[in-house]
Amino acid sequence: MVSVYKNIQASSLKGEKQLAILIDPDKFFIENTSAFISKVNASIITHIFVGGSIVEENETDSLVNEIKKHTKLPIVLFPGDITQITNKADAILFLSLISGQNPEYLIGKHIEAVSKLREMNLEVLPTGYILIESGKETAVEKVTKTKPLSRKNSQDIVDVAKAGELLGMKLIYLEAGSGAKEPLTEEIITSVKKELEIPLIVGGGIRSKIQLENAYKAGADLVVIGTAFEEDESFFDNLKR
Ligand code: 1GP
């Protein structure tokens, strides 16, 4: 497979928008994989992200294995924990939670992950992960014991994102949190995108085609949607190829 990163980067440079579906192994019935992934294959989705905040050991491995049987789309781990790392995926978002100041999530978990990654063939995508407040406490906040950045000060968000790029991260992920009431504003996305040379991922609270298009127009290169598909599979009908 062509490098997952090179693909994202090339699409970003050409202005071709990409869409990832986020599948949380904890909320997904593995028996439904074939039917569900056939809908993914018939849609404009370009990537399958797999991960969640709380997932039982080996659940991710079995699910990725099953998904792989039904699609050629790249499968990218979006792990909440190192137990979710599996060789069966194509790549892993190696997330550093740069919106917070908890060393465990800036570098600690990463050191623990090395013994696993060393043995594996996974493409590692260094990603600056930026949590932005959504009006309610998210799972990421609880698990990582960090506070999200305020929506009110977009310059702060821009500075954090730029610091991530200057540290050598290859992607920036702006996260409103899974199931956020409102997606990130276009103003926040646009101001971050203007300063970055690396591709921008945006996710959290996107539930309609219009919100998706707004995120793209504002500058998102790759959008991540999870809850909208979990709540209602008819969302696929809006996204047919
Ligand atoms: C969560 O950004 C992703 O980490 C997707 O969010 O579930 O709200 O689509 P939703």
PDB file of all heavy atoms in Angstrom, residues 32-69:
ATOM      1  N   ASN A  32     -21.815  -7.311  12.414  1.00  0.00           N
ATOM      2  CA  ASN A  32     -22.357  -6.406  11.377  1.00  0.00           C
ATOM      3  C   ASN A  32     -21.302  -5.920  10.406  1.00  0.00           C
ATOM      4  O   ASN A  32     -21.600  -5.111   9.532  1.00  0.00           O
ATOM      5  CB  ASN A  32     -22.955  -5.143  12.027  1.00  0.00           C
ATOM      6  CG  ASN A  32     -24.228  -5.441  12.771  1.00  0.00           C
ATOM      7  OD1 ASN A  32     -24.765  -6.534  12.648  1.00  0.00           O
ATOM      8  ND2 ASN A  32     -24.694  -4.485  13.556  1.00  0.00           N
ATOM      9  N   THR A  33     -20.064  -6.370  10.570  1.00  0.00           N
ATOM     10  CA  THR A  33     -18.961  -5.758   9.812  1.00  0.00           C
ATOM     11  C   THR A  33     -19.209  -5.774   8.311  1.00  0.00           C
ATOM     12  O   THR A  33     -19.084  -4.749   7.638  1.00  0.00           O
ATOM     13  CB  THR A  33     -17.624  -6.459  10.144  1.00  0.00           C
ATOM     14  OG1 THR A  33     -17.480  -6.525  11.544  1.00  0.00           O
ATOM     15  CG2 THR A  33     -16.453  -5.694   9.559  1.00  0.00           C
ATOM     16  N   SER A  34     -19.581  -6.929   7.780  1.00  0.00           N
ATOM     17  CA  SER A  34     -19.699  -7.043   6.330  1.00  0.00           C
ATOM     18  C   SER A  34     -20.725  -6.041   5.776  1.00  0.00           C
ATOM     19  O   SER A  34     -20.435  -5.269   4.843  1.00  0.00           O
ATOM     20  CB  SER A  34     -20.067  -8.486   5.982  1.00  0.00           C
ATOM     21  OG  SER A  34     -20.502  -8.552   4.675  1.00  0.00           O
ATOM     22  N   ALA A  35     -21.931  -6.022   6.353  1.00  0.00           N
ATOM     23  CA  ALA A  35     -22.985  -5.124   5.868  1.00  0.00           C
ATOM     24  C   ALA A  35     -22.575  -3.660   6.052  1.00  0.00           C
ATOM     25  O   ALA A  35     -22.773  -2.821   5.158  1.00  0.00           O
ATOM     26  CB  ALA A  35     -24.278  -5.392   6.624  1.00  0.00           C
ATOM     27  N   PHE A  36     -21.974  -3.366   7.189  1.00  0.00           N
ATOM     28  CA  PHE A  36     -21.603  -1.981   7.491  1.00  0.00           C
ATOM     29  C   PHE A  36     -20.495  -1.514   6.547  1.00  0.00           C
ATOM     30  O   PHE A  36     -20.575  -0.425   5.967  1.00  0.00           O
ATOM     31  CB  PHE A  36     -21.138  -1.906   8.960  1.00  0.00           C
ATOM     32  CG  PHE A  36     -20.948  -0.500   9.461  1.00  0.00           C
ATOM     33  CD1 PHE A  36     -22.019   0.220   9.975  1.00  0.00           C
ATOM     34  CD2 PHE A  36     -19.698   0.109   9.432  1.00  0.00           C
ATOM     35  CE1 PHE A  36     -21.847   1.523  10.450  1.00  0.00           C
ATOM     36  CE2 PHE A  36     -19.520   1.401   9.899  1.00  0.00           C
ATOM     37  CZ  PHE A  36     -20.590   2.109  10.406  1.00  0.00           C
ATOM     38  N   ILE A  37     -19.504  -2.351   6.355  1.00  0.00           N
ATOM     39  CA  ILE A  37     -18.369  -1.921   5.515  1.00  0.00           C
ATOM     40  C   ILE A  37     -18.787  -1.838   4.043  1.00  0.00           C
ATOM     41  O   ILE A  37     -18.243  -1.045   3.283  1.00  0.00           O
ATOM     42  CB  ILE A  37     -17.136  -2.839   5.727  1.00  0.00           C
ATOM     43  CG1 ILE A  37     -16.658  -2.725   7.186  1.00  0.00           C
ATOM     44  CG2 ILE A  37     -15.992  -2.482   4.771  1.00  0.00           C
ATOM     45  CD1 ILE A  37     -16.195  -1.344   7.652  1.00  0.00           C
ATOM     46  N   SER A  38     -19.785  -2.603   3.633  1.00  0.00           N
ATOM     47  CA  SER A  38     -20.232  -2.455   2.237  1.00  0.00           C
ATOM     48  C   SER A  38     -20.829  -1.052   2.034  1.00  0.00           C
ATOM     49  O   SER A  38     -20.675  -0.453   0.969  1.00  0.00           O
ATOM     50  CB  SER A  38     -21.173  -3.572   1.810  1.00  0.00           C
ATOM     51  OG  SER A  38     -22.391  -3.415   2.455  1.00  0.00           O
ATOM     52  N   LYS A  39     -21.465  -0.516   3.072  1.00  0.00           N
ATOM     53  CA  LYS A  39     -21.960   0.876   2.973  1.00  0.00           C
ATOM     54  C   LYS A  39     -20.787   1.860   2.937  1.00  0.00           C
ATOM     55  O   LYS A  39     -20.828   2.850   2.207  1.00  0.00           O
ATOM     56  CB  LYS A  39     -22.867   1.205   4.161  1.00  0.00           C
ATOM     57  CG  LYS A  39     -24.182   0.468   4.106  1.00  0.00           C
ATOM     58  CD  LYS A  39     -25.087   0.925   5.220  1.00  0.00           C
ATOM     59  CE  LYS A  39     -26.335   0.067   5.265  1.00  0.00           C
ATOM     60  NZ  LYS A  39     -27.180   0.340   6.400  1.00  0.00           N
ATOM     61  N   VAL A  40     -19.783   1.577   3.727  1.00  0.00           N
ATOM     62  CA  VAL A  40     -18.587   2.446   3.713  1.00  0.00           C
ATOM     63  C   VAL A  40     -17.987   2.451   2.306  1.00  0.00           C
ATOM     64  O   VAL A  40     -17.673   3.511   1.742  1.00  0.00           O
ATOM     65  CB  VAL A  40     -17.534   1.955   4.745  1.00  0.00           C
ATOM     66  CG1 VAL A  40     -16.226   2.722   4.598  1.00  0.00           C
ATOM     67  CG2 VAL A  40     -18.073   2.082   6.169  1.00  0.00           C
ATOM     68  N   ASN A  41     -17.865   1.269   1.730  1.00  0.00           N
ATOM     69  CA  ASN A  41     -17.243   1.152   0.401  1.00  0.00           C
ATOM     70  C   ASN A  41     -18.021   1.898  -0.682  1.00  0.00           C
ATOM     71  O   ASN A  41     -17.453   2.327  -1.681  1.00  0.00           O
ATOM     72  CB  ASN A  41     -17.103  -0.320   0.000  1.00  0.00           C
ATOM     73  CG  ASN A  41     -16.049  -1.043   0.832  1.00  0.00           C
ATOM     74  OD1 ASN A  41     -15.119  -0.424   1.336  1.00  0.00           O
ATOM     75  ND2 ASN A  41     -16.203  -2.353   0.980  1.00  0.00           N
ATOM     76  N   ALA A  42     -19.340   2.019  -0.494  1.00  0.00           N
ATOM     77  CA  ALA A  42     -20.180   2.680  -1.504  1.00  0.00           C
ATOM     78  C   ALA A  42     -20.249   4.188  -1.275  1.00  0.00           C
ATOM     79  O   ALA A  42     -20.953   4.896  -1.985  1.00  0.00           O
ATOM     80  CB  ALA A  42     -21.584   2.077  -1.460  1.00  0.00           C
ATOM     81  N   SER A  43     -19.536   4.666  -0.273  1.00  0.00           N
ATOM     82  CA  SER A  43     -19.622   6.093   0.085  1.00  0.00           C
ATOM     83  C   SER A  43     -18.339   6.837  -0.291  1.00  0.00           C
ATOM     84  O   SER A  43     -17.396   6.240  -0.807  1.00  0.00           O
ATOM     85  CB  SER A  43     -19.857   6.218   1.591  1.00  0.00           C
ATOM     86  OG  SER A  43     -18.635   5.986   2.272  1.00  0.00           O
ATOM     87  N   ILE A  44     -18.318   8.130   0.035  1.00  0.00           N
ATOM     88  CA  ILE A  44     -17.132   8.947  -0.270  1.00  0.00           C
ATOM     89  C   ILE A  44     -16.039   8.807   0.798  1.00  0.00           C
ATOM     90  O   ILE A  44     -15.023   9.496   0.745  1.00  0.00           O
ATOM     91  CB  ILE A  44     -17.510  10.447  -0.416  1.00  0.00           C
ATOM     92  CG1 ILE A  44     -18.192  10.964   0.869  1.00  0.00           C
ATOM     93  CG2 ILE A  44     -18.408  10.666  -1.624  1.00  0.00           C
ATOM     94  CD1 ILE A  44     -18.363  12.488   0.912  1.00  0.00           C
ATOM     95  N   ILE A  45     -16.267   7.906   1.743  1.00  0.00           N
ATOM     96  CA  ILE A  45     -15.276   7.710   2.820  1.00  0.00           C
ATOM     97  C   ILE A  45     -13.950   7.218   2.235  1.00  0.00           C
ATOM     98  O   ILE A  45     -13.926   6.336   1.368  1.00  0.00           O
ATOM     99  CB  ILE A  45     -15.838   6.721   3.875  1.00  0.00           C
ATOM    100  CG1 ILE A  45     -16.967   7.418   4.642  1.00  0.00           C
ATOM    101  CG2 ILE A  45     -14.756   6.205   4.814  1.00  0.00           C
ATOM    102  CD1 ILE A  45     -17.801   6.501   5.510  1.00  0.00           C
ATOM    103  N   THR A  46     -12.860   7.816   2.725  1.00  0.00           N
ATOM    104  CA  THR A  46     -11.534   7.460   2.196  1.00  0.00           C
ATOM    105  C   THR A  46     -10.670   6.700   3.207  1.00  0.00           C
ATOM    106  O   THR A  46      -9.672   6.079   2.832  1.00  0.00           O
ATOM    107  CB  THR A  46     -10.764   8.740   1.793  1.00  0.00           C
ATOM    108  OG1 THR A  46     -10.765   9.652   2.918  1.00  0.00           O
ATOM    109  CG2 THR A  46     -11.399   9.413   0.597  1.00  0.00           C
ATOM    110  N   HIS A  47     -11.021   6.813   4.505  1.00  0.00           N
ATOM    111  CA  HIS A  47     -10.214   6.160   5.549  1.00  0.00           C
ATOM    112  C   HIS A  47     -11.127   5.570   6.619  1.00  0.00           C
ATOM    113  O   HIS A  47     -12.190   6.133   6.903  1.00  0.00           O
ATOM    114  CB  HIS A  47      -9.290   7.163   6.262  1.00  0.00           C
ATOM    115  CG  HIS A  47      -8.230   7.735   5.374  1.00  0.00           C
ATOM    116  ND1 HIS A  47      -8.484   8.705   4.444  1.00  0.00           N
ATOM    117  CD2 HIS A  47      -6.910   7.465   5.277  1.00  0.00           C
ATOM    118  CE1 HIS A  47      -7.369   9.005   3.796  1.00  0.00           C
ATOM    119  NE2 HIS A  47      -6.397   8.276   4.280  1.00  0.00           N
ATOM    120  N   ILE A  48     -10.665   4.499   7.226  1.00  0.00           N
ATOM    121  CA  ILE A  48     -11.388   3.943   8.370  1.00  0.00           C
ATOM    122  C   ILE A  48     -10.482   4.094   9.596  1.00  0.00           C
ATOM    123  O   ILE A  48      -9.382   3.544   9.627  1.00  0.00           O
ATOM    124  CB  ILE A  48     -11.751   2.461   8.135  1.00  0.00           C
ATOM    125  CG1 ILE A  48     -12.645   2.343   6.899  1.00  0.00           C
ATOM    126  CG2 ILE A  48     -12.436   1.879   9.379  1.00  0.00           C
ATOM    127  CD1 ILE A  48     -13.002   0.931   6.505  1.00  0.00           C
ATOM    128  N   PHE A  49     -10.952   4.892  10.533  1.00  0.00           N
ATOM    129  CA  PHE A  49     -10.224   5.046  11.802  1.00  0.00           C
ATOM    130  C   PHE A  49     -10.860   4.095  12.810  1.00  0.00           C
ATOM    131  O   PHE A  49     -12.088   3.986  12.876  1.00  0.00           O
ATOM    132  CB  PHE A  49     -10.336   6.478  12.352  1.00  0.00           C
ATOM    133  CG  PHE A  49      -9.482   7.502  11.644  1.00  0.00           C
ATOM    134  CD1 PHE A  49      -8.779   7.205  10.488  1.00  0.00           C
ATOM    135  CD2 PHE A  49      -9.373   8.799  12.157  1.00  0.00           C
ATOM    136  CE1 PHE A  49      -7.992   8.166   9.841  1.00  0.00           C
ATOM    137  CE2 PHE A  49      -8.585   9.762  11.528  1.00  0.00           C
ATOM    138  CZ  PHE A  49      -7.892   9.455  10.366  1.00  0.00           C
ATOM    139  N   VAL A  50     -10.028   3.431  13.596  1.00  0.00           N
ATOM    140  CA  VAL A  50     -10.553   2.518  14.615  1.00  0.00           C
ATOM    141  C   VAL A  50      -9.957   2.897  15.967  1.00  0.00           C
ATOM    142  O   VAL A  50      -8.730   2.992  16.107  1.00  0.00           O
ATOM    143  CB  VAL A  50     -10.207   1.044  14.281  1.00  0.00           C
ATOM    144  CG1 VAL A  50     -10.762   0.110  15.359  1.00  0.00           C
ATOM    145  CG2 VAL A  50     -10.780   0.651  12.915  1.00  0.00           C
ATOM    146  N   GLY A  51     -10.832   3.116  16.937  1.00  0.00           N
ATOM    147  CA  GLY A  51     -10.325   3.431  18.274  1.00  0.00           C
ATOM    148  C   GLY A  51     -11.419   3.948  19.165  1.00  0.00           C
ATOM    149  O   GLY A  51     -12.522   4.251  18.714  1.00  0.00           O
ATOM    150  N   GLY A  52     -11.103   4.040  20.439  1.00  0.00           N
ATOM    151  CA  GLY A  52     -12.072   4.554  21.407  1.00  0.00           C
ATOM    152  C   GLY A  52     -11.381   4.823  22.722  1.00  0.00           C
ATOM    153  O   GLY A  52     -10.214   4.455  22.903  1.00  0.00           O
ATOM    154  N   SER A  53     -12.115   5.474  23.619  1.00  0.00           N
ATOM    155  CA  SER A  53     -11.497   5.829  24.897  1.00  0.00           C
ATOM    156  C   SER A  53     -11.334   4.604  25.794  1.00  0.00           C
ATOM    157  O   SER A  53     -10.336   4.446  26.469  1.00  0.00           O
ATOM    158  CB  SER A  53     -12.345   6.853  25.632  1.00  0.00           C
ATOM    159  OG  SER A  53     -12.499   7.991  24.844  1.00  0.00           O
ATOM    160  N   ILE A  54     -12.370   3.762  25.786  1.00  0.00           N
ATOM    161  CA  ILE A  54     -12.310   2.580  26.659  1.00  0.00           C
ATOM    162  C   ILE A  54     -12.648   1.350  25.808  1.00  0.00           C
ATOM    163  O   ILE A  54     -13.788   1.171  25.384  1.00  0.00           O
ATOM    164  CB  ILE A  54     -13.317   2.703  27.823  1.00  0.00           C
ATOM    165  CG1 ILE A  54     -13.061   4.020  28.582  1.00  0.00           C
ATOM    166  CG2 ILE A  54     -13.253   1.507  28.754  1.00  0.00           C
ATOM    167  CD1 ILE A  54     -14.300   4.637  29.176  1.00  0.00           C
ATOM    168  N   VAL A  55     -11.628   0.538  25.547  1.00  0.00           N
ATOM    169  CA  VAL A  55     -11.839  -0.640  24.699  1.00  0.00           C
ATOM    170  C   VAL A  55     -11.142  -1.822  25.354  1.00  0.00           C
ATOM    171  O   VAL A  55     -10.027  -1.702  25.854  1.00  0.00           O
ATOM    172  CB  VAL A  55     -11.237  -0.398  23.284  1.00  0.00           C
ATOM    173  CG1 VAL A  55     -11.434  -1.614  22.403  1.00  0.00           C
ATOM    174  CG2 VAL A  55     -11.857   0.829  22.630  1.00  0.00           C
ATOM    175  N   GLU A  56     -11.836  -2.978  25.342  1.00  0.00           N
ATOM    176  CA  GLU A  56     -11.227  -4.156  25.963  1.00  0.00           C
ATOM    177  C   GLU A  56     -10.055  -4.674  25.144  1.00  0.00           C
ATOM    178  O   GLU A  56     -10.045  -4.555  23.918  1.00  0.00           O
ATOM    179  CB  GLU A  56     -12.273  -5.270  26.069  1.00  0.00           C
ATOM    180  CG  GLU A  56     -13.063  -5.180  27.347  1.00  0.00           C
ATOM    181  CD  GLU A  56     -14.121  -6.259  27.417  1.00  0.00           C
ATOM    182  OE1 GLU A  56     -13.797  -7.423  27.085  1.00  0.00           O
ATOM    183  OE2 GLU A  56     -15.255  -5.916  27.766  1.00  0.00           O
ATOM    184  N   GLU A  57      -9.124  -5.283  25.828  1.00  0.00           N
ATOM    185  CA  GLU A  57      -7.932  -5.804  25.163  1.00  0.00           C
ATOM    186  C   GLU A  57      -8.335  -6.805  24.071  1.00  0.00           C
ATOM    187  O   GLU A  57      -9.268  -7.582  24.247  1.00  0.00           O
ATOM    188  CB  GLU A  57      -7.013  -6.464  26.203  1.00  0.00           C
ATOM    189  CG  GLU A  57      -5.645  -6.691  25.629  1.00  0.00           C
ATOM    190  CD  GLU A  57      -4.530  -6.565  26.660  1.00  0.00           C
ATOM    191  OE1 GLU A  57      -4.816  -6.472  27.857  1.00  0.00           O
ATOM    192  OE2 GLU A  57      -3.368  -6.555  26.213  1.00  0.00           O
ATOM    193  N   ASN A  58      -7.638  -6.776  22.956  1.00  0.00           N
ATOM    194  CA  ASN A  58      -7.837  -7.670  21.788  1.00  0.00           C
ATOM    195  C   ASN A  58      -9.082  -7.367  20.962  1.00  0.00           C
ATOM    196  O   ASN A  58      -9.252  -7.911  19.873  1.00  0.00           O
ATOM    197  CB  ASN A  58      -7.875  -9.159  22.181  1.00  0.00           C
ATOM    198  CG  ASN A  58      -6.558  -9.586  22.783  1.00  0.00           C
ATOM    199  OD1 ASN A  58      -5.499  -9.083  22.369  1.00  0.00           O
ATOM    200  ND2 ASN A  58      -6.604 -10.469  23.752  1.00  0.00           N
ATOM    201  N   GLU A  59      -9.954  -6.499  21.467  1.00  0.00           N
ATOM    202  CA  GLU A  59     -11.169  -6.173  20.721  1.00  0.00           C
ATOM    203  C   GLU A  59     -10.810  -5.453  19.410  1.00  0.00           C
ATOM    204  O   GLU A  59     -11.393  -5.716  18.360  1.00  0.00           O
ATOM    205  CB  GLU A  59     -12.051  -5.264  21.583  1.00  0.00           C
ATOM    206  CG  GLU A  59     -13.513  -5.600  21.493  1.00  0.00           C
ATOM    207  CD  GLU A  59     -14.348  -4.819  22.514  1.00  0.00           C
ATOM    208  OE1 GLU A  59     -13.819  -3.956  23.232  1.00  0.00           O
ATOM    209  OE2 GLU A  59     -15.537  -5.087  22.576  1.00  0.00           O
ATOM    210  N   THR A  60      -9.844  -4.542  19.497  1.00  0.00           N
ATOM    211  CA  THR A  60      -9.439  -3.781  18.311  1.00  0.00           C
ATOM    212  C   THR A  60      -8.805  -4.715  17.281  1.00  0.00           C
ATOM    213  O   THR A  60      -9.097  -4.638  16.088  1.00  0.00           O
ATOM    214  CB  THR A  60      -8.431  -2.673  18.703  1.00  0.00           C
ATOM    215  OG1 THR A  60      -9.001  -1.907  19.757  1.00  0.00           O
ATOM    216  CG2 THR A  60      -8.116  -1.777  17.543  1.00  0.00           C
ATOM    217  N   ASP A  61      -7.960  -5.603  17.762  1.00  0.00           N
ATOM    218  CA  ASP A  61      -7.274  -6.544  16.874  1.00  0.00           C
ATOM    219  C   ASP A  61      -8.285  -7.377  16.078  1.00  0.00           C
ATOM    220  O   ASP A  61      -8.206  -7.473  14.848  1.00  0.00           O
ATOM    221  CB  ASP A  61      -6.393  -7.451  17.740  1.00  0.00           C
ATOM    222  CG  ASP A  61      -5.512  -8.353  16.912  1.00  0.00           C
ATOM    223  OD1 ASP A  61      -4.503  -7.836  16.384  1.00  0.00           O
ATOM    224  OD2 ASP A  61      -5.845  -9.542  16.773  1.00  0.00           O
ATOM    225  N   SER A  62      -9.284  -7.932  16.755  1.00  0.00           N
ATOM    226  CA  SER A  62     -10.284  -8.775  16.067  1.00  0.00           C
ATOM    227  C   SER A  62     -11.087  -7.939  15.081  1.00  0.00           C
ATOM    228  O   SER A  62     -11.370  -8.379  13.962  1.00  0.00           O
ATOM    229  CB  SER A  62     -11.286  -9.396  17.028  1.00  0.00           C
ATOM    230  OG  SER A  62     -10.671  -9.815  18.180  1.00  0.00           O
ATOM    231  N   LEU A  63     -11.449  -6.729  15.495  1.00  0.00           N
ATOM    232  CA  LEU A  63     -12.287  -5.900  14.625  1.00  0.00           C
ATOM    233  C   LEU A  63     -11.519  -5.476  13.367  1.00  0.00           C
ATOM    234  O   LEU A  63     -12.051  -5.570  12.256  1.00  0.00           O
ATOM    235  CB  LEU A  63     -12.804  -4.683  15.397  1.00  0.00           C
ATOM    236  CG  LEU A  63     -13.688  -3.734  14.586  1.00  0.00           C
ATOM    237  CD1 LEU A  63     -14.931  -4.450  14.045  1.00  0.00           C
ATOM    238  CD2 LEU A  63     -14.120  -2.534  15.421  1.00  0.00           C
ATOM    239  N   VAL A  64     -10.293  -5.042  13.542  1.00  0.00           N
ATOM    240  CA  VAL A  64      -9.511  -4.604  12.380  1.00  0.00           C
ATOM    241  C   VAL A  64      -9.331  -5.778  11.409  1.00  0.00           C
ATOM    242  O   VAL A  64      -9.466  -5.643  10.189  1.00  0.00           O
ATOM    243  CB  VAL A  64      -8.137  -4.025  12.808  1.00  0.00           C
ATOM    244  CG1 VAL A  64      -7.241  -3.778  11.604  1.00  0.00           C
ATOM    245  CG2 VAL A  64      -8.326  -2.740  13.605  1.00  0.00           C
ATOM    246  N   ASN A  65      -9.066  -6.931  11.961  1.00  0.00           N
ATOM    247  CA  ASN A  65      -8.914  -8.131  11.158  1.00  0.00           C
ATOM    248  C   ASN A  65     -10.161  -8.391  10.313  1.00  0.00           C
ATOM    249  O   ASN A  65     -10.087  -8.686   9.116  1.00  0.00           O
ATOM    250  CB  ASN A  65      -8.664  -9.311  12.107  1.00  0.00           C
ATOM    251  CG  ASN A  65      -8.073 -10.492  11.401  1.00  0.00           C
ATOM    252  OD1 ASN A  65      -7.354 -10.322  10.423  1.00  0.00           O
ATOM    253  ND2 ASN A  65      -8.389 -11.672  11.888  1.00  0.00           N
ATOM    254  N   GLU A  66     -11.311  -8.224  10.930  1.00  0.00           N
ATOM    255  CA  GLU A  66     -12.583  -8.464  10.250  1.00  0.00           C
ATOM    256  C   GLU A  66     -12.833  -7.378   9.182  1.00  0.00           C
ATOM    257  O   GLU A  66     -13.212  -7.689   8.050  1.00  0.00           O
ATOM    258  CB  GLU A  66     -13.699  -8.477  11.310  1.00  0.00           C
ATOM    259  CG  GLU A  66     -15.038  -8.998  10.856  1.00  0.00           C
ATOM    260  CD  GLU A  66     -14.991 -10.397  10.274  1.00  0.00           C
ATOM    261  OE1 GLU A  66     -14.169 -11.223  10.717  1.00  0.00           O
ATOM    262  OE2 GLU A  66     -15.785 -10.647   9.340  1.00  0.00           O
ATOM    263  N   ILE A  67     -12.595  -6.120   9.537  1.00  0.00           N
ATOM    264  CA  ILE A  67     -12.835  -5.025   8.578  1.00  0.00           C
ATOM    265  C   ILE A  67     -11.978  -5.245   7.331  1.00  0.00           C
ATOM    266  O   ILE A  67     -12.425  -5.064   6.200  1.00  0.00           O
ATOM    267  CB  ILE A  67     -12.512  -3.649   9.219  1.00  0.00           C
ATOM    268  CG1 ILE A  67     -13.477  -3.325  10.352  1.00  0.00           C
ATOM    269  CG2 ILE A  67     -12.551  -2.536   8.166  1.00  0.00           C
ATOM    270  CD1 ILE A  67     -13.123  -2.064  11.154  1.00  0.00           C
ATOM    271  N   LYS A  68     -10.752  -5.645   7.557  1.00  0.00           N
ATOM    272  CA  LYS A  68      -9.792  -5.827   6.449  1.00  0.00           C
ATOM    273  C   LYS A  68     -10.288  -6.804   5.384  1.00  0.00           C
ATOM    274  O   LYS A  68      -9.957  -6.683   4.208  1.00  0.00           O
ATOM    275  CB  LYS A  68      -8.479  -6.359   7.029  1.00  0.00           C
ATOM    276  CG  LYS A  68      -7.425  -5.314   6.953  1.00  0.00           C
ATOM    277  CD  LYS A  68      -6.036  -5.738   6.855  1.00  0.00           C
ATOM    278  CE  LYS A  68      -5.454  -4.897   5.745  1.00  0.00           C
ATOM    279  NZ  LYS A  68      -4.589  -3.881   6.124  1.00  0.00           N
ATOM    280  N   LYS A  69     -11.083  -7.768   5.821  1.00  0.00           N
ATOM    281  CA  LYS A  69     -11.615  -8.763   4.873  1.00  0.00           C
ATOM    282  C   LYS A  69     -12.574  -8.126   3.882  1.00  0.00           C
ATOM    283  O   LYS A  69     -12.879  -8.700   2.848  1.00  0.00           O
ATOM    284  CB  LYS A  69     -12.365  -9.867   5.637  1.00  0.00           C
ATOM    285  CG  LYS A  69     -11.488 -10.742   6.469  1.00  0.00           C
ATOM    286  CD  LYS A  69     -12.353 -11.814   7.145  1.00  0.00           C
ATOM    287  CE  LYS A  69     -11.573 -12.477   8.271  1.00  0.00           C
ATOM    288  NZ  LYS A  69     -12.460 -13.123   9.248  1.00  0.00           N
TER     289      LYS A  69
END
